């Protein structure tokens, strides 16, 4: 019995384990089915969102295409075509009825007249597209005008002879049929003209290039003709016009820079040389030239100047600076320097070697007026001006500034009144101010 009971317990345990495994498997399958259903629902929702977004994009594209179709350019082009079609439908039946009333054999004639006008108008558009010469376009326009005018006259005559209308209505019908006949070709030609101008407006670089080419050919006609000959003489595509124009410019003017001529090069060289001379004169002044005053040296020997007593004093006074300008105490009055012993004047020395023989054919002109130097006279050839001593300058300054106020007593005023250097004028100013200050102190005491 114990064995049987153990087997029954084992069987029940095995059944329970199997039921647990089956339940777990069923739960797993349920979870998988739910996950698959959720994924499918998510895919469907995403697909629906994509479909809605695609539909919105398509609607936006249709609206954009409709808006693009409603731009002024499209409305003008398509509207012109619609008016042209309406013009053809209005003018062609009247022509057909007119010619058929005369004879049924004349039925192709209105088709030929109306078709000739439209074919010639299309020829004008083709000539504009291929950039054909202008005379071709105008010839086609004349043909269009002739065909449209003949058709308009026929329609006008047909409108005047319509039965059952008053005279005013017949005249209005004739004018209307003639206007409709002319309106189509005229509108088509205006449309083509506007289209050509707008296409030309979209390329400003091309217009600028053509304008530059016309201007260059007008201003440099001979050089442009020579360049054209170079291009035509070379094989096709081997030489461009710009290279040929550069060669022609060099041949005609002698310069390899387009726009420059020998005269302009010469002017530029003179300007550069003048500028260089001016810069050198500012940086390093050139010594005085002696070439123009050579005759003066040949006629008269120049004597060396005799040293004067005031030379050393003037040099020493020029070196001194105003102590008032340097922020120091008032300077001491100027005391006359001792007069050095005058040296004997040296003999005259000629700067040019004299020649005994005069050149043949050269005779000096006799004149009572002395010859004047044509250039700057050097310092050694100038007449010596008597130099004033410091005491003489101080005396002159005292006399000049005796009635001056302290405000008027300046170095510049003394320099102009006494005609001396700025350094000496400053020393004289300080001396006079010191003397006035000393005189004021004594008077106050």
């Amino acid at each position: 019995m114990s064995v049987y009971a153990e087997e029954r317990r084992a069987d029940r345990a095995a059944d329970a384990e199997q039921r647990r495994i089956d339940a777990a498997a069923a739960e797993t399958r349920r979870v998988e089915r739910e996950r698959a259903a959720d994924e499918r629902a998510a895919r469907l929702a995403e697909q629906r969102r994509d479909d809605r977004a695609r539909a919105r994009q398509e609607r936006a594209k249709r609206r954009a295409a409709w808006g693009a179709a409603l731009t002024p350019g499209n409305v003008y082009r398509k509207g012109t075509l619609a008016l042209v079609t309406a013009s053809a439908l209005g003018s062609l039946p009247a022509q057909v009825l007119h010619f058929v009333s005369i004879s049924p054999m004349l039925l192709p004639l209105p088709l030929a007249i109306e078709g000739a006008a439209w074919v010639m108008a299309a020829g004008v558009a083709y000539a504009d597209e291929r950039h054909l010469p202008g005379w071709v376009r105008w010839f086609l326009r004349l043909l269009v005008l002739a065909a449209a005018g003949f058709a308009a006259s026929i329609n006008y005559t047909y409108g005047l002879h319509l039965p059952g209308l008053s005279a005013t209505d017949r005249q209005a019908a004739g004018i209307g049929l003639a206007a409709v006949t002319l309106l189509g070709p005229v509108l088509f030609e205006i449309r083509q003209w506007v289209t050509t101008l707008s296409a030309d407006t979209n390329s400003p670089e091309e217009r600028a290039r053509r304008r530059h080419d016309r201007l260059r050919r007008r201003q440099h006609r001979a050089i442009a003709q020579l360049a054209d000959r170079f291009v035509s003489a070379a094989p096709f595509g081997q030489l461009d016009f710009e290279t040929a124009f550069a060669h022609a410019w060099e041949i005609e003017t002698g310069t390899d820079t387009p726009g420059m001529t020998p005269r302009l090069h010469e002017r530029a060289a003179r300007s550069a040389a003048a500028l260089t001379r001016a810069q050198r004169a500012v940086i390093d002044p050139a010594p005085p030239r002696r070439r123009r005053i050579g005759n003066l040296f040949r006629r008269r020997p120049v004597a060396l100047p005799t040293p004067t007593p005031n030379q050393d004093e003037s040099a020493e006074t020029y070196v001194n600076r105003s102590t008032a300008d340097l922020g120091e105490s008032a300077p001491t009055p100027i005391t006359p320097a001792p007069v050095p012993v005058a040296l004997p004047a040296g003999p005259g020395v000629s700067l040019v070697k004299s020649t005994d023989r005069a050149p043949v054919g050269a005779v000096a002109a006799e004149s009572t007026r002395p010859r004047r130097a044509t250039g700057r006279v050097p310092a050694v050839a100038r007449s010596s001006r008597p130099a004033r001593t410091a005491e003489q300058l101080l005396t002159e300054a005292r006399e000049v500034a005796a009635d001056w106020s302290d405000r008027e007593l300046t170095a510049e005023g003394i320099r102009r009144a006494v005609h001396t250097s700025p350094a000496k004028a400053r020393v004289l100013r300080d001396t006079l101010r010191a003397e006035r200050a000393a005189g004021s102190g004594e008077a106050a005491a």
Side-chain angles (χ1 to χ4, degrees), residues 134-258:
W135 67 269
V136 177
R137 307 174 192 179
W138 285 108
F139 179 70
L140 294 174
R141 290 189 179 100
L142 289 177
L143 293 179
V144 172
L145 183 60
F150 182 66
S153 64
I154 293 173
N155 287 341
Y156 180 72
T157 304
Y158 179 79
L160 291 179
H161 293 85
L162 287 176
L165 299 176
S166 62
T168 305
D169 293 340
R170 285 196 298 269
Q171 186 177 5
I175 294 175
L177 289 174
V180 166
T181 305
L182 291 174
L183 183 64
V186 170
L187 289 179
F188 188 83
E189 180 59 30
I190 293 175
R191 173 183 179 272
Q192 182 60 32
W193 180 47
V194 172
T195 303
T196 304
L197 290 180
S198 62
D200 190 23
T201 304
N202 293 330
S203 56
E205 295 182 359
E206 185 67 20
R207 292 203 319 276
R209 188 189 63 80
R210 290 198 299 268
R211 190 183 305 110
H212 174 265
D213 185 65
R214 290 194 301 269
L215 183 62
R216 180 164 61 178
R217 287 183 177 276
R218 184 171 65 252
Q219 294 181 352
H220 312 287
R221 190 180 304 275
I223 299 175
Q225 292 177 356
L226 182 59
D228 291 335
R229 289 198 294 270
F230 286 161
V231 174
S232 62
F236 179 76
Q238 294 292 330
L239 182 63
D240 58 342
F241 182 78
E242 296 297 334
T243 305
F245 189 85
H247 292 328
W249 185 277
E250 185 175 0
I251 292 173
E252 289 289 336
T253 62
T255 60
D256 56 353
T257 304

Side-chain angles (χ1 to χ4, degrees), residues 299 358-366:
R299 291 181 178 274
V360 179
V363 180
E366 296 181 359

